[in-house]
Amino acid sequence: MDHEDLRHWSKRAADWTAEYHAGLRDRPVRAPLTPGAVASALPPAPPEAAEPMEAIWADFERLVPGAMTHWQHPRFFAYFPANAAPASMLAEQLVNAMACQGMIWQTSPAATEVEQVMVQWLRAALGLPEGFSGTIHDSATTATLSAVLTMREQALGWQGLAQGLPGAPRLRLYASEETHSSVDKAARLSGIGQENLVKVPTDAALSMRPGALAGAIEADRAAGFLPAGVILCAGGTSVGAFDHIADCIAAAKAEGLPVHVDAAWAGSAMICPEFRALWQGIEGADSIVFNPHKWLGVQFDCAVQFLRDPGPQVRTLGLRPSYLETAGREEIVNFNEWTVPLGRRFRALKLWFVLRAYGLEGLRARIRNHIAWAAEACEALRALPGVEIVTEPRLSLFTFALEDEAATMALLARINDEGRVYLTQTRHQGRYVIRVQVGQFDCTREDVMEIPAAVTRLM
Ligand code: PLP
């Protein structure tokens, strides 16, 4: 296959894309669960001779779409969304065509500079003050790991990088139970250790108690630990919990600790000023991550980390061997020094396309609709005898259950086997609940109201 063939097949792929999306509502949302079905249909070894693209294409159509869970399906209400607006897909096609490496400014000046500008556009769109800069990671997990590694090094006076952790004081991190498992992963991978991630108690609203945070830090200091930083939750994965951001930041700052805020999902909603009260005080954070690849229509992968001062993170993660120098441009921003991997994709292009193609007003209208329709679906479910709303909507996320756990599990299985809508589960305070989030880029009110309709049909 050469580039002339690519021209032909790209057009075919564009037609396939349009038809796939137009037909999504007719497909079941979730793939049938038959482990091994796809793998067993593939030959055990790669071909020695080149194969015609017709054959490869035919196998794709035969084997792949029917075995996919359709994340762009308008009735996908599981997990969190991984939206891909058409403008984002288009930008990714162009990025694919250039297939660049944006590791340093000189390897792709446009990638670096569009990224710098997009971070500032988003900072303003989210209502964050001037002074924050930032970068784009593949995922919130990597951004949180970067923030935690930076906390570790700040606490150790940058000795961990040189000497490793043996002999270092025992570091402590603080987060609530409502934070995502990526925080646990960061504690583990940073060498700080799971046991040194202190889960600070929450109040009735599932928000970290600032007094409990202050008390935990003080008690740790008295016991000879070295507190390193606090990770706050702005829109938890399970049921959408928000910590008291302002008060927890004040408690952390009183102890001289840096704060990272995980707003991976809910950050997108902050383009709407009326939701910003949920993260009031955010301007005091040192680091904030949010995923445009969840709710903003910018397809995976795209996780933006805002940094009050990039210096400590660059000092922690940055290395500049001679083969990565740009002669005479020592001051230039090389984004690999802000992140874990060296190689970087040109992720900012899809942000640029999406923000322009829909405008902030278009994106706000979608998010406002999602939140309103989630509330409407929640009320319709509440009205059904036997259904209990277990956690009220936080933005567009709520949970419900039947009285009996086995019946709730069976209902979820029936809903997902039917395939009209796709929902997932979580455990809230030990109770198995069905989780509903509304956030598909082009879903309609009718799509969302299929949730209570499915429950009514299948309960
Ligand atoms: N933080 C929260 C609140 C999340 O919901 C998720 C994923 O759903 C993550 C972090 C991890 O995101 P990523 O897949 O970008 O690492």
Side-chain angles (χ1 to χ4, degrees):
M1 182 169 177
D2 61 18
H3 281 281
E4 267 315 303
D5 296 327
L6 179 60
R7 182 197 296 275
H8 166 78
W9 286 100
S10 297
K11 288 178 182 153
R12 189 127 168 219
D15 289 342
W16 185 89
T17 304
E19 280 154 29
Y20 170 74
H21 281 272
L24 269 178
R25 280 196 176 82
D26 300 328
R27 292 179 184 262
V29 189
R30 192 187 69 178
L33 300 182
T34 38
V38 178
S40 63
L42 300 178
E48 290 294 338
E51 296 189 54
M53 189 44 69
E54 271 304 342
I56 301 170
W57 183 275
D59 282 347
F60 162 75
E61 287 199 305
R62 183 171 60 85
L63 292 175
V64 176
M68 292 298 288
T69 292
H70 301 290
W71 281 75
Q72 305 312 316
H73 198 299
R75 295 191 301 270
F76 180 105
F77 304 115
Y79 306 101
F80 280 136
N83 281 336
S88 166
M89 290 188 183
L90 181 63
E92 283 289 66
Q93 283 178 18
L94 302 177
V95 168
N96 281 344
M98 293 183 285
C100 69
Q101 268 290 355
M103 53 205 183
I104 60 175
W105 175 85
Q106 134 171 298
T107 60
S108 296
T112 300
E113 294 183 19
V114 177
E115 182 163 334
Q116 288 174 306
V117 175
M118 288 308 105
V119 166
Q120 289 306 320
W121 280 17
L122 286 171
R123 177 197 59 70
L126 268 57
L128 295 171
E130 283 178 20
F132 276 97
S133 57
T135 189
I136 307 179
H137 298 260
D138 56 353
S139 65
T141 301
T142 315
T144 295
L145 175 62
S146 304
V148 166
L149 288 169
T150 305
M151 289 172 177
R152 183 192 81 185
E153 286 310 306
Q154 281 177 297
L156 295 178
W158 278 273
Q159 291 308 300
L161 292 173
Q163 296 164 9
L165 299 188
R170 203 161 156 192
L171 299 170
R172 294 290 240 195
L173 298 169
Y174 305 86
S176 89
E177 281 292 354
E178 297 298 320
T179 44
H180 186 261
S181 60
S182 53
V183 177
D184 300 74
K185 191 177 266 191
R188 291 166 179 225
L189 297 186
S190 62
I192 294 175
Q194 181 79 61
E195 287 174 14
N196 293 313
L197 172 59
V198 178
K199 297 286 172 87
V200 180
T202 52
D203 60 19
L206 307 174
S207 312
M208 181 191 282
R209 290 198 286 113
L213 172 63
I217 298 169
E218 261 174 53
D220 277 351
R221 284 203 205 283
F225 294 109
L226 180 57
V230 177
I231 298 102
L232 297 179
C233 174
T237 313
S238 187
V239 299
F242 279 81
D243 287 331
H244 299 292
I245 303 290
D247 291 347
C248 289
I249 289 180
K253 295 291 157 187
E255 293 285 346
L257 295 186
V259 175
H260 170 69
V261 178
D262 178 1
W265 162 64
S268 294
M270 303 308 168
I271 62 171
C272 306
E274 68 269 30
F275 302 127
R276 291 184 194 152
L278 286 167
W279 74 355
Q280 190 243 322
I282 190 69
E283 61 283 353
D286 298 287
S287 165
I288 305 158
V289 64
F290 98 104
N291 283 352
H293 74 221
K294 284 188 162 59
W295 203 358
L296 213 57
V298 180
Q299 78 202 68
F300 192 83
D301 52 358
C302 186
V304 174
Q305 184 189 17
F306 297 105
L307 289 161
R308 164 186 301 287
D309 171 11
Q313 188 156 310
V314 173
R315 186 167 173 191
T316 303
L317 302 179
L319 285 171
R320 200 178 287 188
S322 53
Y323 45 80
L324 293 177
E325 283 169 4
T326 304
R329 294 253 181 244
E330 286 71 27
E331 80 301 342
I332 212 88
V333 167
N334 293 320
F335 271 131
N336 83 81
E337 296 167 7
W338 299 44
T339 60
V340 175
L342 171 61
R344 341 186 56 244
R345 305 183 60 242
F346 187 174
R347 300 189 183 92
L349 196 72
K350 56 194 170 187
L351 272 168
W352 193 40
F353 274 42
V354 166
L355 291 172
R356 295 180 64 189
Y358 307 100
L360 287 174
E361 269 312 321
L363 297 170
R364 285 188 196 111
R366 283 177 166 82
I367 286 174
R368 287 175 177 141
N369 279 339
H370 297 157
I371 292 171
W373 295 335
E376 205 178 332
C378 178
E379 290 318 309
L381 284 168
R382 200 193 305 274
L384 294 178
V387 172
E388 185 190 339
I389 301 303
V390 179
T391 59
E392 296 294 327
R394 285 188 169 87
L395 298 173
S396 62
L397 169 62
F398 66 92
T399 63
F400 70 96
L402 308 181
E403 199 181 328
D404 174 69
E405 175 156 325
T408 309
M409 282 182 180
L411 172 64
L412 182 62
R414 281 198 295 278
I415 290 171
N416 290 335
D417 287 346
E418 185 196 48
R420 288 282 297 167
V421 300
Y422 183 24
L423 305 176
T424 46
Q425 77 295 327
T426 188
R427 270 196 192 274
H428 176 62
Q429 296 175 337
R431 182 169 180 193
Y432 181 95
V433 293
I434 300 178
R435 199 176 157 280
V436 178
Q437 71 74 27
V438 177
Q440 291 306 92
F441 199 70
D442 279 328
C443 72
T444 62
R445 179 186 167 277
E446 287 65 41
D447 291 318
V448 177
M449 295 313 280
E450 277 291 322
I451 302 166
V455 172
T456 308
R457 210 166 38 242
L458 298 168
M459 201 163 63

